[in-house]
Amino acid sequence: MKKRVFLSLLIVLILILSACSNSGDKSSGEDGDSILSDEEMGELVPSITILSSLPEDNMVNYEMANEVANELQKLGVDIKAEPIDFAVLIDTIYGEDSDYDAYTIGWSGRVERLDPDMFIHSINHSKNANPGGNNTDKYRSDEFDAVADAQRQEMDIEKRRELVFEAQEILGEDVPRITLYSRANVQAYNKDKFKNVENIPGEGLFNEWTPMVIEPITDEKVLKVASNVNLDTLNPMKAKSVYEWRNLRLIYDKLVRLTPEIEPMPWAATSWDIVDDTTIDVHLRDGMNFHDGEPVTVEDVKFTFEAFIDNNVEYFMSFLEPIDTVEILDEDTIRFNLEYPYAPFVTNTLTQIPILPKHIWENIDDPINYDNSNPIGSGPFVFKNFRPGEELVTDTNRDYFEDINIDGYIFNIFGSPEGVLTALELGDIDLVSYDLVPAHIEQIDNNEGGKYDHLELTNVNDIGFFYLGMNLDRAPFNNKDFRIATAHLVDYDLAVDVHLNGYGGRGGAGLVINSVNEFWHNPNAIKYDEYDPERAKEILEEAGFTWDSEGRLRMPKE
């Protein structure tokens, strides 16, 4: 009897030890029951690197990248946030290798982007997902593409609005990117030195009009502008950031410019005629010259548009794609023949493409990679010199068809926002070209001791946005449920209330047209815009993600 009891106890002990020895290879549910061994689970969620801004370039993007990384670490993901130089970030996400997992960056709200085509078609259509294209998240959806194509071809504005709303709903469900916040354009200028300063929503103070209309109050007539980001190129075919285009659009001219009231104004053109839905005749202004003295002709315009198309300048291809042919009708008329109706052709295409001098660019073998160290345009300002990391210097084009009050401008590049604040205080800088950090806004506003008496703070809303981009060609971001779960790990209120001190707006998964752009904004499109880590975990579990014996997150089993 005792022997049988002993044997029974021995068997029970062996079973207990066996269970204990296997427990390290099993995942457990919340009730403690074993579910799968590690070997039975899916692959480990790959290691992730979020490329972020340097803190001196954009502290909010830097902080938000780290916060998202911390939240994903809690869920068992091997992830880190890596701050890098802005120019390196641009080269990486637009590069041929598409070698990145995720990143934080923003789209500025330039005036031509009030039309929804940029934020619907250009950054989301699958045609633009190739290296160099603006769809750097590699989002591809046949359903979305059909709606994005239809909205740009719809000439009835109310019907087009319905399509734009539908496109936003698809993005809100598919979550190709996660918008973190939008930022108010709070900037400052020296009111004791200059007046008649334009502040345009999405553009701020250093827009394409302020340098042309600003008036000096003193004998100091050179406008000194501050930037906290360096310029990577002066080549219009290579430039991809707002910092470069803020200068290039003043050195080069365009057929049409958008006014501060966001109306298209004939500029290098005197007028245009809509012959029909696919034919537009543009009449070139007479008497314009490039900065080297050569006349601007219809040949230059035709050459420019064909060169951008032939060289597949991806940054602009979404707006150039509708063009079938460009032809010269007479010495001052260019005809654009479109493959299909394109509703924003005047406001999106004619307002963005800079006129290049054919006599220079036709002799360049590789225009995309051309250094263009001495840009020759026909715009209101003439390039003088550029010292990378220090300054870009211009003179006023005194032969321009519009009178300009300043004697050129100097675009000063600073290594940190603190350096800019000091320069503003001392009067060494007249105007900032970027949004001030919240701490500096408060300092200027409080004006302790009257040291900022000479500064005028300005504040307008921005239609642009800052976001967490994800490479949908790579795991785990190729999994929609993982993207939705990640959207629940973003503290959208923290971004606005703490990091921005209230100077901005909330983000949301898939948000591309924010509430400032009231006519085109769909208020019902965003489904995932609440910080809820517990819900994020539930979404992963429901989608088949598991956690192994070491707490590491694993992909759903294929």
Side-chain angles (χ1 to χ4, degrees), residues 298-328:
V298 289
E299 291 283 353
D300 296 297
V301 176
K302 181 180 187 321
F303 169 82
T304 295
F305 280 85
E306 290 178 342
F308 271 77
I309 293 169
D310 292 344
N311 286 282
N312 194 34
V313 180
E314 290 279 2
Y315 189 75
F316 290 113
M317 282 310 294
S318 187
F319 316 116
L320 295 168
E321 175 192 292
I323 297 175
D324 183 18
T325 60
V326 183
E327 58 180 310
I328 295 172

Side-chain angles (χ1 to χ4, degrees), residues 163-351:
L163 291 165
V164 170
F165 273 39
E166 182 180 351
Q168 291 174 75
E169 289 168 4
I170 296 172
L171 294 175
E173 182 58 49
D174 286 352
V175 190
R177 69 185 58 76
I178 300 169
T179 293
L180 305 170
Y181 63 94
S182 61
R183 187 169 62 189
N185 298 138
V186 183
Q187 301 179 3
Y189 70 92
N190 190 329
K191 64 184 179 183
D192 288 349
K193 289 186 178 180
F194 292 94
K195 64 179 182 177
N196 197 24
V197 180
E198 290 282 358
N199 194 347
I200 299 178
E203 295 268 359
L205 297 176
F206 190 58
N207 51 69
E208 60 185 299
W209 289 103
T210 286
M212 290 193 279
V213 301
I214 194 171
E215 297 178 37
I217 298 173
T218 70
D219 291 336
E220 295 184 40
K221 295 188 177 182
V222 176
L223 180 67
K224 291 169 288 187
V225 181
S227 173
N228 65 334
V229 176
N230 194 15
L231 308 180
D232 192 36
T233 182
L234 298 178
N235 181 344
M237 289 195 183
K238 194 175 183 179
K240 292 181 173 67
S241 82
V242 63
Y243 307 102
E244 290 143 7
W245 279 108
R246 282 172 179 160
N247 292 279
L248 290 173
R249 65 188 179 182
L250 295 171
I251 295 169
Y252 292 90
D253 230 335
K254 303 176 292 184
L255 291 170
V256 178
R257 290 184 186 264
L258 291 176
T259 68
E261 295 73 39
I262 326 300
E263 294 294 332
M265 175 183 284
W267 202 250
T270 55
S271 63
W272 58 85
D273 301 317
I274 309 297
V275 180
D276 56 47
D277 284 351
T278 58
T279 311
I280 299 93
D281 290 347
V282 177
H283 305 287
L284 187 65
R285 185 181 295 275
D286 187 41
M288 290 188 303
N289 290 320
F290 289 107
H291 300 152
D292 62 359
E294 292 294 320
V296 179
T297 69
V298 289
E299 291 283 353
D300 296 297
V301 176
K302 181 180 187 321
F303 169 82
T304 295
F305 280 85
E306 290 178 342
F308 271 77
I309 293 169
D310 292 344
N311 286 282
N312 194 34
V313 180
E314 290 279 2
Y315 189 75
F316 290 113
M317 282 310 294
S318 187
F319 316 116
L320 295 168
E321 175 192 292
I323 297 175
D324 183 18
T325 60
V326 183
E327 58 180 310
I328 295 172
L329 299 188
D330 56 45
E331 64 182 9
D332 68 358
T333 308
I334 308 100
R335 169 165 290 181
F336 292 92
N337 298 299
L338 308 185
E339 293 187 5
Y340 50 80
Y342 180 42
F345 181 74
V346 171
T347 56
N348 269 15
T349 306
L350 299 186
T351 59

Side-chain angles (χ1 to χ4, degrees), residues 325-389:
T325 60
V326 183
E327 58 180 310
I328 295 172
L329 299 188
D330 56 45
E331 64 182 9
D332 68 358
T333 308
I334 308 100
R335 169 165 290 181
F336 292 92
N337 298 299
L338 308 185
E339 293 187 5
Y340 50 80
Y342 180 42
F345 181 74
V346 171
T347 56
N348 269 15
T349 306
L350 299 186
T351 59
Q352 295 199 73
I353 306 303
I355 302 172
L356 303 178
K358 179 181 177 181
H359 64 278
I360 293 175
W361 287 80
E362 68 179 343
N363 300 314
I364 298 168
D365 293 331
D366 184 8
I368 292 289
N369 295 306
Y370 176 51
D371 185 49
N372 201 34
S373 58
N374 183 33
I376 301 294
S378 59
F381 293 91
V382 180
F383 173 84
K384 295 301 292 181
N385 65 73
F386 172 50
R387 291 187 294 167

